[in-house]
Amino acid sequence: MAQSITFGGAGTLGGSTSLTPAPAKRLSNENYLTASDYDFTQQYLPDLYEQEFARYGNRSVSSFLRMVGAEMPSTSDLIVWSEQGRLHVQASGTITDGDTIAVTGHSFRTNQTIVVSNADASKQLKCLITDASATDSIEVAPYAIASLTSGTGSFTAADAVTLFVYGSEFRKGTDSMSGSLDVNFDTKENNPIIKDKYEVSGSEMTHIGWVEVEGGGYLWYLKAENETRQRFEDYLETSMIEGEPAAAGSAVAGLAADYKGTKGLFYEVENNGNVTSGDITDRDDLEAFAKVLDKEGAIQENVLFVNRTTSFNIDRALAAQNNSGASTSSYGLFDNDQNMALNLGFTGFMIGYDFYKTDWKYLNDATTRGNIGGINGILVPAGTTTVHDEVMGESVKRPFLHVRYRQTSQEDRRYKSWITGSAGGAATSGKDNMEVHFLSERALCVMGANNFILMQ
């Protein structure tokens, strides 16, 4: 109600002055502040944990490329290199008749000697090439039987065969080999990609928070900026792994000429390397790796980056080789120490080649490949390979797997970040905000993809 107060007889001050909030043993909207987002009717200060709890541990999925590769500068939008081709001549064909094999675009020459084999090697004949002048077929004469289709161990018309050259034979006094073979090499190229940005208004930057963030202090925007940076750093790696070029006629290629995509690790190995499917269950599956390497570069040391399921499968396959048998947990001799921890896993093994096994977090993480699957692991050769660098114009040694990034004496685009706006120390525009920009121009170089094995 309205009150009237007298000051020493000097007059009366009237008005609608309110004397509430009144001291009372109750909680109400009249004697405590309230807001739609906060409830101050609880007068007791909570026992607050100021630091966030990392319930998902280290959420980053990067580190793969740092473990197996290197980073090198590049001065061009296009990265080009050439790789050596096979030394020996081999091809696939089809038996046409008793002395003809259809082989499209072959490199065989007259008077070369070849081995002709069917798919399961149950039939094999050694033959002399009598005429290789046609571009889509060769004429041959078997050494052991009358023709390709008559005699013991002969083929039948339309049989699919594989051929390779093992030598040549000429009659005395005849001319030398007709024609020659040029050096075969494969030219590879890739394109660099990737950007990101974080934005916050100047007003939001002044909010103090309850929670102490990773970057230090209680300003929540620092956490958001830090997580944007961490996410971008993960993208630097995952884009190199999952990247795919825009195919001719694809929707991306139709958007604009500047959208090219990039050739990632999985794409390169799927298209130029070796791909296997299914689970590893026994020693035969492990030996299959060695058999593939025999046919490729025969790199002695190799690393298997696998998901958890495949890692356990390899452990079980190796444990089955123990003299104690797969049904026991004894992988060796122990001293029966009370503090002993039983190690049921293997970090490496040797079957023809040295293999080292490690879990790859990217394949286990619930927000990446660990959720959708599709890839069980990948075999990566260790060491370096020699290739011809088209830009440098010389043969150089490079890691099988490495990243090239744009760099000149004036500009380094390996990992670039800058701030724009008018807040947070920036004074580049009249906009009341802070924008943190992230940029990298990089591309993955997979040298000798034929030495890699992708496990699907």
Side-chain angles (χ1 to χ4, degrees):
M1 67 178 183
Q3 301 287 332
S4 178
I5 303 175
T6 300
F7 294 98
T12 299
L13 179 63
S16 58
T17 304
S18 174
L19 296 181
T20 57
K25 291 183 178 181
R26 62 187 177 86
L27 303 177
S28 72
N29 291 339
E30 294 180 349
N31 55 7
Y32 284 91
L33 295 174
T34 60
S36 59
D37 294 330
Y38 304 99
D39 183 8
F40 287 94
T41 59
Q42 168 59 266
Q43 71 268 41
Y44 304 110
L45 181 67
D47 189 358
L48 178 67
Y49 285 88
E50 297 180 357
Q51 293 183 336
E52 285 185 291
F53 175 67
R55 59 175 174 170
Y56 295 116
N58 179 8
R59 294 168 296 166
S60 173
V61 296
S62 64
S63 72
F64 171 75
L65 291 179
R66 289 196 297 268
M67 292 174 62
V68 301
E71 293 186 345
M72 302 175 185
S74 174
T75 56
S76 174
D77 272 338
L78 187 63
I79 302 163
V80 183
W81 71 95
S82 59
E83 299 180 1
Q84 292 179 339
R86 295 284 190 178
L87 183 62
H88 297 283
V89 178
Q90 181 265 353
S92 297
T94 305
I95 301 294
T96 302
D97 53 42
D99 59 4
T100 306
I101 305 175
V103 189
T104 303
H106 65 82
S107 299
F108 297 111
R109 293 175 289 172
T110 303
N111 288 104
Q112 286 184 323
T113 52
I114 61 174
V115 175
V116 183
S117 174
N118 63 353
D120 62 1
S122 60
K123 299 177 182 179
Q124 292 188 353
L125 293 175
K126 294 181 174 64
C127 304
L128 174 70
I129 298 178
T130 58
D131 186 359
S133 59
T135 59
D136 58 355
S137 65
I138 58 174
E139 303 293 322
V140 302
Y143 278 97
I145 57 178
S147 74
L148 291 171
T149 56
S150 64
T152 304
S154 64
F155 298 96
T156 58
D159 275 355
V161 292
T162 300
L163 312 85
F164 73 89
V165 176
Y166 70 88
S168 62
E169 183 180 1
F170 290 84
R171 291 182 292 114
K172 293 181 179 181
T174 59
D175 290 337
S176 61
M177 180 73 74
S178 175
S180 66
L181 293 179
D182 290 332
V183 174
N184 181 34
F185 67 91
D186 192 11
T187 300
K188 302 289 186 179
E189 62 182 50
N190 210 350
N191 302 290
I193 56 169
I194 191 167
K195 290 182 181 180
D196 205 343
K197 185 184 82 170
Y198 169 71
E199 181 177 353
V200 61
S201 70
S203 178
E204 289 295 325
M205 293 174 63
T206 61
H207 278 309
I208 190 71
W210 288 93
V211 181
E212 183 178 2
V213 300
E214 290 179 82
Y218 295 85
L219 301 175
W220 192 252
Y221 82 91
L222 290 177
K223 175 177 176 59
E225 189 275 337
N226 183 61
E227 292 210 352
T228 301
R229 185 181 300 272
Q230 288 182 336
R231 188 163 47 248
F232 179 72
E233 290 174 354
D234 276 6
Y235 289 162
L236 292 180
E237 178 167 303
T238 55
S239 60
M240 299 295 96
I241 294 169
E242 297 281 1
E244 183 168 343
S250 68
V252 170
L255 296 175
D258 292 337
Y259 287 101
K260 299 178 181 178
T262 191
K263 296 175 182 176
L265 174 62
F266 293 161
Y267 175 87
E268 277 291 333
V269 180
E270 282 178 342
N271 289 272
N272 300 297
N274 304 282
V275 179
T276 182
S277 60
D279 294 329
I280 294 174
T281 58
D282 53 31
R283 180 188 170 103
D284 289 342
D285 296 328
L286 299 177
E287 290 177 353
F289 289 126
K291 293 176 181 177
V292 170
L293 297 179
D294 283 340
K295 298 177 181 179
E296 302 299 340
I299 308 302
Q300 182 60 39
E301 294 187 342
N302 302 271
V303 183
L304 291 164
F305 292 89
V306 295
N307 62 17
R308 185 68 71 182
T309 299
T310 304
S311 179
F312 287 159
N313 287 342
I314 294 175
D315 288 342
R316 281 191 286 267
L318 294 173
Q321 311 309 310
N322 184 21
N323 292 333
S324 298
S327 61
T328 71
S329 60
S330 175
Y331 292 359
L333 298 176
F334 302 103
D335 295 330
N336 200 26
D337 188 339
Q338 62 178 356
N339 297 319
M340 178 190 68
L342 185 60
N343 183 6
L344 298 179
F346 295 85
T347 58
F349 58 95
M350 180 178 180
I351 299 181
Y353 298 88
D354 294 322
F355 298 93
Y356 304 98
K357 175 174 68 72
T358 183
D359 291 330
W360 188 3
K361 185 176 180 180
Y362 177 64
L363 300 183
N364 295 321
D365 190 273
T367 58
T368 55
R369 279 284 177 179
N371 181 34
I372 65 173
I375 303 294
N376 293 331
I378 187 167
L379 180 146
V380 179
T384 60
T385 185
T386 301
V387 295
H388 184 77
D389 191 308
E390 299 290 345
V391 177
M392 299 175 62
E394 61 183 20
S395 294
V396 293
K397 285 190 174 182
R398 292 284 184 263
F400 284 95
L401 204 60
H402 63 274
V403 173
R404 297 293 295 270
Y405 59 89
R406 294 290 301 278
Q407 183 187 66
T408 64
S409 57
Q410 291 80 31
E411 179 78 2
D412 187 347
R413 300 169 81 82
R414 174 180 175 271
Y415 186 141
K416 187 176 180 180
S417 64
W418 66 96
I419 298 176
T420 61
S422 63
T428 61
S429 72
K431 192 174 182 180
D432 181 23
N433 75 341
M434 179 183 75
E435 296 180 357
V436 185
H437 301 261
F438 303 94
L439 177 147
S440 179
E441 283 194 74
R442 58 180 56 211
L444 183 68
C445 297
V446 184
M447 303 289 191
N450 59 296
N451 296 283
F452 291 69
I453 302 176
L454 183 65
M455 292 173 275
Q456 293 183 339

